[in-house]
Amino acid sequence: MLPQISVPYKFPRLWKRYEVLVGIGLTEEDAMLRAEQKLVQRNVYHPLDKVVFAYPVSVGFEALLHFLHPKFEHEMSVLEKQYAQGILSKLVVVDSDKSSLEKIVNAAACKNVFDVQVCDNPRSAVEFVANNSCDALLMRHNISGNNGLQVAQRLSRINLLPRTVVYGSIHRRTIDYYYSTRLVWYVVKEHDADLILSAVEKVLNNVRARYFSDFVLP
């Protein structure tokens, strides 16, 4: 029985396009090598993405190699093509809660598509964003000494508000205001790092909420 493993695809939107090759060997290295050899036998030398890992079985080790064939490049978004070339998206994260900030940064690092800069002092958030150009801004709403709405308003007044995602425990009336002013692109009500970064990926793909029902995630 295969272990329950979350595959860290570089392009999760295209997960149905990924193919899987299996290699079996007496050692972990041998199993992975055999899987790699099968990729070469398929004449795939430069896959768009490749993820390989091994785990013990009764006869040694079994390796699974997940790869995205170059023929699917035409299905990639502009942002995904950028990532394929090794160009990272600049993401600024504003959060005064160190534990919360750490979770977001660690989750972002695992995706290997973000160049993350952090601001843990909400009072200097406006100045920080102004001095550090970014592709997207991610803010906790209820940050001490300030809040995401106030930061967004100030950045908007000086025409420096980037594509923005706000997360945290937010009152319904505040969410209504976020939506009506269109200051941010998405609001995430739960502190779920994967869900938050999913919203960031939406805005980086130039997708913003059109209705209140899809403005608030989940």
Side-chain angles (χ1 to χ4, degrees):
M1 181 178 178
L2 295 180
Q4 296 298 313
I5 299 173
S6 177
V7 182
Y9 292 137
K10 192 171 186 177
F11 309 109
R13 188 181 63 84
L14 300 174
W15 69 271
K16 290 184 177 180
R17 298 301 194 190
Y18 280 73
E19 299 177 55
V20 182
L21 299 174
V22 180
I24 298 176
L26 294 178
T27 66
E28 181 177 347
E29 293 76 12
D30 187 38
M32 296 176 72
L33 177 60
R34 290 176 184 272
E36 293 277 5
Q37 289 173 339
K38 288 188 177 182
L39 188 64
V40 173
Q41 291 169 2
R42 292 278 302 274
N43 294 319
V44 181
Y45 300 98
H46 301 288
L48 297 171
D49 186 22
K50 181 179 69 175
V51 182
V52 58
F53 48 84
Y55 53 90
V57 293
S58 58
V59 293
F61 287 84
E62 184 167 281
L64 298 180
L65 187 153
H66 299 244
F67 74 98
L68 183 61
H69 197 284
K71 67 183 179 182
F72 295 115
E73 183 175 5
H74 71 283
E75 295 187 20
M76 297 172 68
S77 67
V78 172
L79 187 66
E80 288 165 339
K81 289 179 180 178
Q82 174 181 301
Y83 292 157
Q85 296 171 6
I87 302 173
L88 306 181
S89 291
K90 295 181 180 179
L91 175 65
V92 166
V93 184
V94 179
D95 197 331
S96 58
D97 185 307
K98 295 189 181 301
S99 175
S100 169
L101 189 60
E102 184 178 358
K103 289 178 182 178
I104 295 291
V105 172
N106 288 343
C110 290
K111 289 184 175 292
N112 297 316
V113 296
F114 296 116
D115 176 8
V116 182
Q117 294 178 296
V118 300
C119 175
D120 59 4
N121 180 3
R123 296 183 185 279
S124 63
V126 173
E127 181 181 359
F128 188 89
V129 174
N131 293 331
N132 295 274
S133 62
C134 62
D135 299 307
L137 171 62
L138 177 59
M139 290 190 294
R140 184 185 180 97
H141 170 72
N142 48 331
I143 44 183
S144 60
N146 214 325
N147 65 53
L149 181 57
Q150 292 170 327
V151 173
Q153 288 171 328
R154 290 169 186 167
L155 286 169
S156 179
R157 290 192 198 106
I158 57 176
N159 296 316
L160 288 176
L161 180 63
R163 302 172 184 179
T164 303
V165 174
V166 172
Y167 61 93
S169 177
I170 311 173
H171 193 278
R172 171 62 191 253
R173 280 180 294 183
T174 303
I175 295 175
D176 284 337
Y177 189 76
Y178 270 125
Y179 175 68
S180 63
T181 60
R182 312 296 282 176
L183 286 171
V184 305
W185 289 45
Y186 282 95
V187 169
V188 183
K189 294 188 296 182
E190 294 184 8
H191 197 294
D192 181 308
D194 289 333
L195 194 62
I196 291 168
L197 292 174
S198 175
V200 171
E201 289 175 354
K202 284 180 181 292
V203 305
L204 288 172
N205 274 305
N206 206 33
V207 177
R208 73 175 299 158
R210 297 179 60 192
Y211 307 103
F212 186 85
S213 58
D214 61 9
F215 178 77
V216 180
L217 299 176

